Amino acid sequence: MMQPTAAAMQGTRPARALVLAGGIALGAFEAGACAALEEAGGPPIGWVAGSSAGAVAAALIAGNPPGRRAARLREFWKGVAADPTPATTFWFGQPPPEGPWRQAYNQAAVMQSLLVGRPGLYRPRLMPAPRIGRVPALYDLEPLLERLRDLVDFDRLNDGSMRVTVAATDVVSGERVVFDTGRGDRIGPEHIVASCALLPLFAPIELEGRLLADGGLSSNVPLDLVLDEPGEGELECFVVELFAPAGSRPRTLAASASRAGDLAFGNQTRRILEGRVREHRLRALVAELAEHLPEAVRHDPEVAERLHEAAEGAHGAVVVMLGYRAALGEAGLGKAFDFSEATLRDRWRAGEERMREALARLAAREEPEALAPGLRVIQVD
């Protein structure tokens, strides 16, 4: 187990953080956003946190040196992309962004991913029924384990230069399980894979005496872990959300199923923010009431300690929310398994565009929306 960094031992947080959502193939969007953030330069990211696909992106970022991170992200996503209709592409090129051809292309990519797996990510289990001691699942994530060992320097990831936090879920207890280099945990490829094991599709991982599955089952965007950390000065936190909590009226069964997935995962982030809004308002109220206490009461050791506890963590934060919205031609409920070259390329570009817009709005000193005293947000979608 590594020693916590000095900042972590003092209970502080960096000035800039990045929180990444899970979403399987939707993760190409956040990879594009991360690449654009690195290429833009500016203050370095001091803390990256993620679940599932977000944990993979976090490992690729923290496990590679500055200047090589965007290239590693591209290498990873290029390695998992596929052309589901190579003959059609050879004769007619890539399908257009929308229309029946693109919809058929996307659906073919989903079917390919579900039937034969995805090299570098997962492979079908020949016998989904469990062997002795194994949990039933359709796919194994061993290919991802090997891929991470090739692309990520886990000694660098754990050296304390960047704080890394990964969320998983205990299958038996239902508890969220957090691995955090800032608190002395050593994160390896198996921790990242555990965060990606979405039941019943992917087999969970037995790790440190617990059976662990996808972090998205407890917190798909572990934003609270970053916002709750005490720190000095204002935090600038980029959050990449892959499931849109707001959408349109579904008009097909597939659209209804897709919308259900967006609501189930996207609303987790909304609930986290709502909880932090209540907390910041309560802290502000306590501070206001403290001003009206007699001086003798305020300086009473027990009262002073309680007031200090209430004020701790009330440091300001600007949350920059980047949201992904699926294109009309995407494959409905199966969009998370659309690893087609055209779709991953479009998602990557969309992530780049959202991040560049976010950085432009920050550079223009746009006044964020105040959700509560000390908590402001800029929404980019």
Side-chain angles (χ1 to χ4, degrees):
M1 181 177 289
M2 66 167 283
Q3 294 298 315
T5 62
M9 294 174 67
Q10 296 169 8
T12 60
R13 65 186 182 190
R16 213 177 203 193
L18 179 63
V19 183
L20 304 170
I24 313 179
L26 302 178
F29 173 86
E30 66 190 2
C34 293
L37 180 60
E38 185 193 21
E39 290 165 356
I45 295 294
W47 188 354
V48 59
S51 288
S52 196
V56 173
L60 291 166
I61 291 167
N64 284 285
R68 292 187 58 193
R69 293 165 179 165
R72 280 301 198 196
L73 288 164
R74 287 191 180 92
E75 183 178 352
F76 177 85
W77 283 99
K78 184 178 181 180
V80 300
D83 186 344
T85 58
T88 304
T89 303
F90 176 79
W91 289 106
F92 303 106
Q94 293 281 355
E98 297 179 3
W101 180 8
R102 181 57 181 270
Q103 291 178 355
Y105 173 90
N106 291 345
Q107 291 288 356
V110 172
M111 292 302 298
Q112 182 186 64
S113 298
L114 295 176
L115 289 173
V116 302
R118 194 76 259 120
L121 282 182
Y122 61 91
R123 64 188 176 208
R125 279 186 167 183
L126 297 179
M127 297 179 63
R131 303 170 191 171
I132 296 175
R134 299 189 71 187
V135 176
L138 296 175
Y139 310 98
D140 275 320
L141 288 166
E142 280 89 349
L144 175 59
L145 193 68
E146 295 304 316
R147 185 80 167 148
L148 289 170
R149 288 173 177 148
D150 290 339
L151 297 180
V152 176
D153 180 346
F154 282 93
D155 288 333
R156 170 179 282 275
L157 185 150
N158 289 285
D159 69 5
S161 57
M162 179 184 293
R163 184 171 179 177
V164 183
T165 304
V166 171
T169 305
D170 188 308
V171 173
V172 178
S173 70
E175 297 174 309
R176 178 171 68 177
V177 180
V178 175
F179 302 103
D180 186 350
T181 61
R183 300 194 181 279
D185 297 327
R186 179 172 179 85
I187 294 176
E190 63 279 2
H191 297 86
I192 307 300
V193 172
S195 182
C196 298
L198 180 62
L199 292 169
L201 297 169
F202 305 119
I205 305 296
E206 195 86 38
L207 192 60
E208 300 183 12
R210 309 180 81 163
L211 186 63
L212 300 180
D214 196 290
L217 297 173
S218 51
S219 59
N220 201 48
V221 181
L223 173 60
D224 56 314
L225 299 175
V226 176
L227 293 184
D228 289 351
E229 189 77 7
E232 299 297 332
E234 187 168 69
L235 170 72
E236 186 177 85
C237 183
F238 294 91
V239 180
V240 184
E241 172 62 83
L242 300 178
F243 294 93
S248 58
R249 184 187 184 97
R251 302 191 179 280
T252 65
L253 187 60
S256 293
S258 177
R259 189 76 196 109
D262 285 345
L263 291 170
F265 289 105
N267 272 331
Q268 290 184 21
T269 313
R270 180 176 286 176
R271 298 290 88 81
I272 287 174
L273 271 178
E274 288 174 350
R276 296 310 147 311
V277 167
R278 291 192 295 271
E279 179 183 325
H280 276 254
R281 288 174 177 169
L282 181 58
R283 291 183 189 277
L285 179 59
V286 170
E288 183 179 340
L289 291 175
E291 294 297 322
H292 297 281
L293 292 175
E295 186 174 349
V297 175
R298 284 204 310 273
H299 289 88
D300 178 270
E302 186 173 348
V303 174
E305 182 180 357
R306 297 294 180 267
L307 292 176
H308 175 74
E309 290 175 356
E312 189 177 33
H315 308 285
V318 175
V319 179
V320 184
M321 297 285 301
L322 285 74
Y324 175 68
R325 290 188 178 274
L328 293 176
E330 290 201 31
L333 183 61
K335 63 188 178 185
F337 284 88
D338 183 355
F339 286 93
S340 64
E341 293 175 352
T343 298
L344 294 187
R345 181 192 63 233
D346 290 348
R347 288 171 179 166
W348 181 287
R349 289 175 178 171
E352 288 180 321
E353 291 170 2
R354 296 286 195 285
M355 180 58 75
R356 288 168 184 153
E357 179 185 346
L359 293 172
R361 289 168 65 175
L362 287 170
R365 300 188 180 277
E366 175 182 322
E367 184 61 32
E369 177 187 358
L371 301 181
L375 183 59
R376 301 179 295 159
V377 66
I378 295 176
Q379 186 73 43
V380 185
D381 56 21

